Amino acid sequence: DALPELQFLYLQVLLELTPQYERRRPLPEQVEGALAAAGSGGRLSEETHEHYLSLLCRFAPHRVHEYLQEHDTYRVDVCLELVEAHGIRDATAFLKERAGDMGGALELILTALDRAFEALLSDGDDDGAPAAAAAAAAAARAGYERELTVLHAAGARELAAERAATATARDEAQAARRR
């Protein structure tokens, strides 16, 4: 790709700044033309959003999570690969959650929490604060692990209930055919 910085700036105007600009005054003809050329009544394609996301990962990784929350015109699996490749953990957790991988999202969050606690411990002084921080970290980790267990159990119960409902419906359909 030629001049990725210019592509980034151009797509940033189209995808993020344009709605704010439209409220104040009409769009310039060039921007209107670009939106019309994009088709879909001014909606840009998934591929365009995904290309912008790859540039955002490169040039403004701190804004990726917010962008993903505010937009939904992208394929989750493609964007998940992008953010994982760039090591953007908050965006990865968000997309894993959207993809239904609650356990994977929670594990990323727990890992980040562990790293933050370790950093806190390494910055502490010797007046007992590290021991208190370690105890707090252990308690928080245990709480999050309990939540993960509850999430997995809830998912298993939901799956069992769904299977039971399917079996009941199948049995009722077979009984109705026999009549």
Side-chain angles (χ1 to χ4, degrees), residues 11-31:
L11 289 172
Q12 182 180 35
V13 167
L14 285 180
L15 296 173
E16 293 193 57
L17 303 178
T18 300
Q20 297 166 4
Y21 183 64
E22 286 178 317
R23 287 185 210 126
R24 286 183 252 145
R25 59 189 111 153
L27 289 170
E29 284 183 34
Q30 296 91 342
V31 174

PDB file of all heavy atoms in Angstrom, residues 11-31:
ATOM      1  N   LEU A  11      -9.320   7.961   5.516  1.00  0.00           N
ATOM      2  CA  LEU A  11     -10.364   7.100   6.071  1.00  0.00           C
ATOM      3  C   LEU A  11     -10.840   7.596   7.429  1.00  0.00           C
ATOM      4  O   LEU A  11     -12.011   7.447   7.774  1.00  0.00           O
ATOM      5  CB  LEU A  11      -9.865   5.654   6.166  1.00  0.00           C
ATOM      6  CG  LEU A  11      -9.720   4.946   4.822  1.00  0.00           C
ATOM      7  CD1 LEU A  11      -9.037   3.603   4.997  1.00  0.00           C
ATOM      8  CD2 LEU A  11     -11.065   4.794   4.135  1.00  0.00           C
ATOM      9  N   GLN A  12      -9.948   8.216   8.176  1.00  0.00           N
ATOM     10  CA  GLN A  12     -10.341   8.775   9.467  1.00  0.00           C
ATOM     11  C   GLN A  12     -11.412   9.849   9.270  1.00  0.00           C
ATOM     12  O   GLN A  12     -12.402   9.902   9.997  1.00  0.00           O
ATOM     13  CB  GLN A  12      -9.129   9.356  10.184  1.00  0.00           C
ATOM     14  CG  GLN A  12      -9.441   9.906  11.550  1.00  0.00           C
ATOM     15  CD  GLN A  12      -8.204  10.473  12.229  1.00  0.00           C
ATOM     16  OE1 GLN A  12      -7.334  11.035  11.572  1.00  0.00           O
ATOM     17  NE2 GLN A  12      -8.133  10.310  13.533  1.00  0.00           N
ATOM     18  N   VAL A  13     -11.228  10.675   8.275  1.00  0.00           N
ATOM     19  CA  VAL A  13     -12.227  11.717   7.985  1.00  0.00           C
ATOM     20  C   VAL A  13     -13.546  11.075   7.573  1.00  0.00           C
ATOM     21  O   VAL A  13     -14.614  11.453   8.066  1.00  0.00           O
ATOM     22  CB  VAL A  13     -11.714  12.683   6.898  1.00  0.00           C
ATOM     23  CG1 VAL A  13     -12.838  13.564   6.375  1.00  0.00           C
ATOM     24  CG2 VAL A  13     -10.577  13.528   7.440  1.00  0.00           C
ATOM     25  N   LEU A  14     -13.482  10.067   6.700  1.00  0.00           N
ATOM     26  CA  LEU A  14     -14.717   9.433   6.234  1.00  0.00           C
ATOM     27  C   LEU A  14     -15.443   8.670   7.339  1.00  0.00           C
ATOM     28  O   LEU A  14     -16.667   8.726   7.442  1.00  0.00           O
ATOM     29  CB  LEU A  14     -14.423   8.471   5.085  1.00  0.00           C
ATOM     30  CG  LEU A  14     -14.134   9.090   3.735  1.00  0.00           C
ATOM     31  CD1 LEU A  14     -13.856   7.998   2.718  1.00  0.00           C
ATOM     32  CD2 LEU A  14     -15.289   9.943   3.271  1.00  0.00           C
ATOM     33  N   LEU A  15     -14.694   7.957   8.159  1.00  0.00           N
ATOM     34  CA  LEU A  15     -15.313   7.038   9.108  1.00  0.00           C
ATOM     35  C   LEU A  15     -15.555   7.613  10.497  1.00  0.00           C
ATOM     36  O   LEU A  15     -16.436   7.145  11.209  1.00  0.00           O
ATOM     37  CB  LEU A  15     -14.466   5.770   9.245  1.00  0.00           C
ATOM     38  CG  LEU A  15     -14.355   4.950   7.964  1.00  0.00           C
ATOM     39  CD1 LEU A  15     -13.364   3.819   8.142  1.00  0.00           C
ATOM     40  CD2 LEU A  15     -15.708   4.423   7.558  1.00  0.00           C
ATOM     41  N   GLU A  16     -14.769   8.606  10.890  1.00  0.00           N
ATOM     42  CA  GLU A  16     -14.915   9.086  12.264  1.00  0.00           C
ATOM     43  C   GLU A  16     -15.291  10.559  12.349  1.00  0.00           C
ATOM     44  O   GLU A  16     -16.098  10.933  13.179  1.00  0.00           O
ATOM     45  CB  GLU A  16     -13.619   8.846  13.037  1.00  0.00           C
ATOM     46  CG  GLU A  16     -13.342   7.364  13.241  1.00  0.00           C
ATOM     47  CD  GLU A  16     -12.256   7.122  14.245  1.00  0.00           C
ATOM     48  OE1 GLU A  16     -12.409   7.594  15.380  1.00  0.00           O
ATOM     49  OE2 GLU A  16     -11.265   6.481  13.884  1.00  0.00           O
ATOM     50  N   LEU A  17     -14.722  11.373  11.529  1.00  0.00           N
ATOM     51  CA  LEU A  17     -14.946  12.803  11.665  1.00  0.00           C
ATOM     52  C   LEU A  17     -16.143  13.303  10.872  1.00  0.00           C
ATOM     53  O   LEU A  17     -16.741  14.302  11.223  1.00  0.00           O
ATOM     54  CB  LEU A  17     -13.679  13.568  11.254  1.00  0.00           C
ATOM     55  CG  LEU A  17     -12.416  13.194  12.024  1.00  0.00           C
ATOM     56  CD1 LEU A  17     -11.234  13.981  11.506  1.00  0.00           C
ATOM     57  CD2 LEU A  17     -12.598  13.416  13.507  1.00  0.00           C
ATOM     58  N   THR A  18     -16.499  12.618   9.790  1.00  0.00           N
ATOM     59  CA  THR A  18     -17.581  13.070   8.925  1.00  0.00           C
ATOM     60  C   THR A  18     -18.903  13.269   9.657  1.00  0.00           C
ATOM     61  O   THR A  18     -19.526  14.302   9.506  1.00  0.00           O
ATOM     62  CB  THR A  18     -17.756  12.118   7.724  1.00  0.00           C
ATOM     63  OG1 THR A  18     -16.537  12.116   6.993  1.00  0.00           O
ATOM     64  CG2 THR A  18     -18.880  12.560   6.826  1.00  0.00           C
ATOM     65  N   PRO A  19     -19.360  12.327  10.516  1.00  0.00           N
ATOM     66  CA  PRO A  19     -20.652  12.552  11.181  1.00  0.00           C
ATOM     67  C   PRO A  19     -20.678  13.836  12.023  1.00  0.00           C
ATOM     68  O   PRO A  19     -21.679  14.533  12.042  1.00  0.00           O
ATOM     69  CB  PRO A  19     -20.817  11.314  12.069  1.00  0.00           C
ATOM     70  CG  PRO A  19     -20.001  10.269  11.382  1.00  0.00           C
ATOM     71  CD  PRO A  19     -18.825  11.003  10.787  1.00  0.00           C
ATOM     72  N   GLN A  20     -19.570  14.162  12.675  1.00  0.00           N
ATOM     73  CA  GLN A  20     -19.526  15.389  13.461  1.00  0.00           C
ATOM     74  C   GLN A  20     -19.582  16.603  12.538  1.00  0.00           C
ATOM     75  O   GLN A  20     -20.243  17.584  12.817  1.00  0.00           O
ATOM     76  CB  GLN A  20     -18.243  15.449  14.290  1.00  0.00           C
ATOM     77  CG  GLN A  20     -18.147  14.338  15.301  1.00  0.00           C
ATOM     78  CD  GLN A  20     -16.748  14.211  15.859  1.00  0.00           C
ATOM     79  OE1 GLN A  20     -15.864  14.991  15.548  1.00  0.00           O
ATOM     80  NE2 GLN A  20     -16.554  13.196  16.677  1.00  0.00           N
ATOM     81  N   TYR A  21     -18.899  16.523  11.405  1.00  0.00           N
ATOM     82  CA  TYR A  21     -18.838  17.625  10.457  1.00  0.00           C
ATOM     83  C   TYR A  21     -20.207  17.849   9.814  1.00  0.00           C
ATOM     84  O   TYR A  21     -20.643  18.973   9.645  1.00  0.00           O
ATOM     85  CB  TYR A  21     -17.785  17.292   9.404  1.00  0.00           C
ATOM     86  CG  TYR A  21     -17.539  18.373   8.385  1.00  0.00           C
ATOM     87  CD1 TYR A  21     -17.011  19.605   8.761  1.00  0.00           C
ATOM     88  CD2 TYR A  21     -17.830  18.166   7.048  1.00  0.00           C
ATOM     89  CE1 TYR A  21     -16.768  20.592   7.827  1.00  0.00           C
ATOM     90  CE2 TYR A  21     -17.593  19.145   6.113  1.00  0.00           C
ATOM     91  CZ  TYR A  21     -17.060  20.351   6.503  1.00  0.00           C
ATOM     92  OH  TYR A  21     -16.820  21.328   5.584  1.00  0.00           O
ATOM     93  N   GLU A  22     -20.912  16.756   9.506  1.00  0.00           N
ATOM     94  CA  GLU A  22     -22.220  16.865   8.854  1.00  0.00           C
ATOM     95  C   GLU A  22     -23.213  17.646   9.701  1.00  0.00           C
ATOM     96  O   GLU A  22     -24.070  18.317   9.167  1.00  0.00           O
ATOM     97  CB  GLU A  22     -22.792  15.469   8.588  1.00  0.00           C
ATOM     98  CG  GLU A  22     -22.124  14.758   7.451  1.00  0.00           C
ATOM     99  CD  GLU A  22     -22.692  13.366   7.273  1.00  0.00           C
ATOM    100  OE1 GLU A  22     -22.908  12.665   8.278  1.00  0.00           O
ATOM    101  OE2 GLU A  22     -22.908  13.001   6.118  1.00  0.00           O
ATOM    102  N   ARG A  23     -23.122  17.545  10.998  1.00  0.00           N
ATOM    103  CA  ARG A  23     -24.080  18.227  11.859  1.00  0.00           C
ATOM    104  C   ARG A  23     -23.963  19.742  11.746  1.00  0.00           C
ATOM    105  O   ARG A  23     -24.911  20.444  11.947  1.00  0.00           O
ATOM    106  CB  ARG A  23     -23.855  17.804  13.311  1.00  0.00           C
ATOM    107  CG  ARG A  23     -24.331  16.413  13.565  1.00  0.00           C
ATOM    108  CD  ARG A  23     -24.214  16.071  15.034  1.00  0.00           C
ATOM    109  NE  ARG A  23     -23.995  14.644  15.111  1.00  0.00           N
ATOM    110  CZ  ARG A  23     -23.004  14.063  15.739  1.00  0.00           C
ATOM    111  NH1 ARG A  23     -22.130  14.770  16.396  1.00  0.00           N
ATOM    112  NH2 ARG A  23     -22.881  12.776  15.742  1.00  0.00           N
ATOM    113  N   ARG A  24     -22.777  20.212  11.473  1.00  0.00           N
ATOM    114  CA  ARG A  24     -22.572  21.656  11.436  1.00  0.00           C
ATOM    115  C   ARG A  24     -22.850  22.256  10.060  1.00  0.00           C
ATOM    116  O   ARG A  24     -23.387  23.338   9.960  1.00  0.00           O
ATOM    117  CB  ARG A  24     -21.130  21.983  11.837  1.00  0.00           C
ATOM    118  CG  ARG A  24     -20.923  21.802  13.329  1.00  0.00           C
ATOM    119  CD  ARG A  24     -19.534  22.201  13.727  1.00  0.00           C
ATOM    120  NE  ARG A  24     -18.863  20.943  14.041  1.00  0.00           N
ATOM    121  CZ  ARG A  24     -17.604  20.676  13.821  1.00  0.00           C
ATOM    122  NH1 ARG A  24     -16.828  21.559  13.282  1.00  0.00           N
ATOM    123  NH2 ARG A  24     -17.106  19.514  14.137  1.00  0.00           N
ATOM    124  N   ARG A  25     -22.466  21.587   9.018  1.00  0.00           N
ATOM    125  CA  ARG A  25     -22.671  22.109   7.660  1.00  0.00           C
ATOM    126  C   ARG A  25     -22.599  20.969   6.656  1.00  0.00           C
ATOM    127  O   ARG A  25     -22.123  19.893   6.983  1.00  0.00           O
ATOM    128  CB  ARG A  25     -21.649  23.191   7.345  1.00  0.00           C
ATOM    129  CG  ARG A  25     -20.214  22.732   7.441  1.00  0.00           C
ATOM    130  CD  ARG A  25     -19.294  23.903   7.338  1.00  0.00           C
ATOM    131  NE  ARG A  25     -18.705  24.041   8.659  1.00  0.00           N
ATOM    132  CZ  ARG A  25     -17.541  24.574   8.893  1.00  0.00           C
ATOM    133  NH1 ARG A  25     -16.856  25.088   7.942  1.00  0.00           N
ATOM    134  NH2 ARG A  25     -17.051  24.620  10.096  1.00  0.00           N
ATOM    135  N   PRO A  26     -23.059  21.193   5.443  1.00  0.00           N
ATOM    136  CA  PRO A  26     -23.052  20.114   4.442  1.00  0.00           C
ATOM    137  C   PRO A  26     -21.621  19.688   4.108  1.00  0.00           C
ATOM    138  O   PRO A  26     -20.674  20.449   4.226  1.00  0.00           O
ATOM    139  CB  PRO A  26     -23.724  20.738   3.223  1.00  0.00           C
ATOM    140  CG  PRO A  26     -24.097  22.124   3.593  1.00  0.00           C
ATOM    141  CD  PRO A  26     -23.631  22.418   4.958  1.00  0.00           C
ATOM    142  N   LEU A  27     -21.517  18.439   3.649  1.00  0.00           N
ATOM    143  CA  LEU A  27     -20.209  17.917   3.257  1.00  0.00           C
ATOM    144  C   LEU A  27     -19.742  18.545   1.948  1.00  0.00           C
ATOM    145  O   LEU A  27     -20.566  18.852   1.082  1.00  0.00           O
ATOM    146  CB  LEU A  27     -20.292  16.406   3.060  1.00  0.00           C
ATOM    147  CG  LEU A  27     -20.465  15.586   4.321  1.00  0.00           C
ATOM    148  CD1 LEU A  27     -20.770  14.143   3.942  1.00  0.00           C
ATOM    149  CD2 LEU A  27     -19.226  15.652   5.178  1.00  0.00           C
ATOM    150  N   PRO A  28     -18.432  18.688   1.791  1.00  0.00           N
ATOM    151  CA  PRO A  28     -17.911  19.152   0.498  1.00  0.00           C
ATOM    152  C   PRO A  28     -18.268  18.149  -0.595  1.00  0.00           C
ATOM    153  O   PRO A  28     -18.459  16.964  -0.327  1.00  0.00           O
ATOM    154  CB  PRO A  28     -16.393  19.199   0.710  1.00  0.00           C
ATOM    155  CG  PRO A  28     -16.203  19.210   2.185  1.00  0.00           C
ATOM    156  CD  PRO A  28     -17.387  18.523   2.777  1.00  0.00           C
ATOM    157  N   GLU A  29     -18.363  18.614  -1.816  1.00  0.00           N
ATOM    158  CA  GLU A  29     -18.751  17.756  -2.944  1.00  0.00           C
ATOM    159  C   GLU A  29     -17.830  16.562  -3.096  1.00  0.00           C
ATOM    160  O   GLU A  29     -18.281  15.473  -3.437  1.00  0.00           O
ATOM    161  CB  GLU A  29     -18.758  18.573  -4.247  1.00  0.00           C
ATOM    162  CG  GLU A  29     -19.946  19.482  -4.375  1.00  0.00           C
ATOM    163  CD  GLU A  29     -19.945  20.211  -5.716  1.00  0.00           C
ATOM    164  OE1 GLU A  29     -19.503  19.631  -6.720  1.00  0.00           O
ATOM    165  OE2 GLU A  29     -20.389  21.362  -5.726  1.00  0.00           O
ATOM    166  N   GLN A  30     -16.527  16.740  -2.844  1.00  0.00           N
ATOM    167  CA  GLN A  30     -15.586  15.631  -2.997  1.00  0.00           C
ATOM    168  C   GLN A  30     -15.905  14.504  -2.011  1.00  0.00           C
ATOM    169  O   GLN A  30     -15.846  13.331  -2.365  1.00  0.00           O
ATOM    170  CB  GLN A  30     -14.128  16.091  -2.758  1.00  0.00           C
ATOM    171  CG  GLN A  30     -13.632  17.092  -3.754  1.00  0.00           C
ATOM    172  CD  GLN A  30     -13.900  18.527  -3.283  1.00  0.00           C
ATOM    173  OE1 GLN A  30     -14.723  18.796  -2.404  1.00  0.00           O
ATOM    174  NE2 GLN A  30     -13.215  19.474  -3.907  1.00  0.00           N
ATOM    175  N   VAL A  31     -16.252  14.862  -0.785  1.00  0.00           N
ATOM    176  CA  VAL A  31     -16.570  13.842   0.218  1.00  0.00           C
ATOM    177  C   VAL A  31     -17.898  13.184  -0.129  1.00  0.00           C
ATOM    178  O   VAL A  31     -18.041  11.963  -0.047  1.00  0.00           O
ATOM    179  CB  VAL A  31     -16.583  14.452   1.640  1.00  0.00           C
ATOM    180  CG1 VAL A  31     -17.050  13.431   2.666  1.00  0.00           C
ATOM    181  CG2 VAL A  31     -15.221  14.996   1.996  1.00  0.00           C
TER     182      VAL A  31
END
